[in-house]
Amino acid sequence: MVIDVQNDFCTGPAVAAKFNGDTSAVESAAAGAARAVDVARAHDIEVVFVRFEGDAAYQGPSWRQRDAARGKQPKCLTGSWGAEFHNLAPAPDERVFTKRACFDAFLTPEFAAYVAAFDRLVFAGLYTDVCVDSTARTAFQKGFHITVLADCTTALRLPNDTILGFMTALYGARVTTLAEEEKQWQASNTVLA
């Protein structure tokens, strides 16, 4: 499962400001997610893409209030360059699910119904402490086994190691690298989420 590897989350002045000008962790995570897609495809592992659209029309009142209080502009507006995937693209036969102003992909009914056929989800994308964690938390509660590719994600607000440790302790998440996970992708019933 590739989560929110989109231009507005990967590049530009807002991203640079959040990381004090050092966007290397974001660039590395996005490049890692793109490599994970390539490796999964090479092993005939299904890849599922999740994207965020943050238009004000999709936001609930609390979301709009928070953004107004912080002076934040909506990100990943429908049809914008910012909403496009960053340096990767779904193949024509790969599924793409859109979250509308929410962190958790399971809040998109089509996503929840589609992944129900799997028992294990592998996570890459942005951000470990926001959308990756939100989706992984629900996945765990729904009975999925969770793997997070540590070199294919990064956190926005918390130290990445802290959130990965939290996910391991609370959800039993298997945290590994892409190279180590590739060894596991010979088994069936796996989806890169």
Side-chain angles (χ1 to χ4, degrees), residues 84-168:
E84 293 175 10
F85 291 110
H86 181 77
N87 295 335
L88 53 84
D93 62 336
E94 291 172 336
R95 297 296 305 260
V96 178
F97 296 94
T98 302
K99 302 177 294 152
R100 293 200 164 91
C102 64
F103 302 138
D104 183 346
F106 282 95
L107 293 175
T108 304
E110 300 82 9
F111 171 85
Y114 188 76
V115 300
F118 300 99
D119 62 0
R120 181 170 169 251
L121 300 176
V122 179
F123 289 83
L126 302 172
Y127 286 105
T128 317
D129 55 344
V130 186
C131 295
V132 173
D133 177 67
S134 294
T135 303
R137 182 176 303 206
T138 300
F140 169 73
Q141 294 174 100
K142 288 185 170 284
F144 293 93
H145 299 280
I146 298 162
T147 298
V148 181
L149 302 178
D151 53 343
C152 301
T153 190
T154 194
L156 179 63
R157 304 254 181 229
L158 300 171
N160 202 44
D161 288 344
T162 299
I163 193 67
L164 291 171
F166 174 81
M167 293 169 80
T168 299

Side-chain angles (χ1 to χ4, degrees), residues 7-192:
N7 289 325
D8 274 355
F9 295 135
C10 294
T11 189
V15 174
K18 287 183 184 204
F19 290 92
N20 296 321
D22 181 8
T23 60
S24 60
V26 176
E27 293 162 12
S28 178
R35 281 191 312 278
V37 168
D38 291 340
V39 171
R41 288 173 179 159
H43 289 282
D44 293 323
I45 300 296
E46 184 170 356
V47 180
V48 173
F49 290 82
V50 176
R51 66 177 164 212
F52 174 84
E53 290 181 351
D55 304 50
Y58 302 140
Q59 298 173 1
S62 59
W63 193 296
R64 287 191 301 271
Q65 181 181 11
R66 179 206 64 183
D67 283 1
R70 295 182 181 168
K72 292 178 71 171
Q73 295 299 311
K75 291 180 182 52
C76 303
L77 299 176
T78 303
S80 71
W81 174 86
E84 293 175 10
F85 291 110
H86 181 77
N87 295 335
L88 53 84
D93 62 336
E94 291 172 336
R95 297 296 305 260
V96 178
F97 296 94
T98 302
K99 302 177 294 152
R100 293 200 164 91
C102 64
F103 302 138
D104 183 346
F106 282 95
L107 293 175
T108 304
E110 300 82 9
F111 171 85
Y114 188 76
V115 300
F118 300 99
D119 62 0
R120 181 170 169 251
L121 300 176
V122 179
F123 289 83
L126 302 172
Y127 286 105
T128 317
D129 55 344
V130 186
C131 295
V132 173
D133 177 67
S134 294
T135 303
R137 182 176 303 206
T138 300
F140 169 73
Q141 294 174 100
K142 288 185 170 284
F144 293 93
H145 299 280
I146 298 162
T147 298
V148 181
L149 302 178
D151 53 343
C152 301
T153 190
T154 194
L156 179 63
R157 304 254 181 229
L158 300 171
N160 202 44
D161 288 344
T162 299
I163 193 67
L164 291 171
F166 174 81
M167 293 169 80
T168 299
L170 197 60
Y171 319 140
R174 181 173 165 265
V175 176
T176 190
T177 64
L178 175 57
E180 287 300 312
E181 183 61 15
E182 185 176 7
K183 297 173 185 175
Q184 302 294 317
W185 284 353
Q186 300 303 321
S188 63
N189 205 22
T190 300
V191 62
L192 175 62

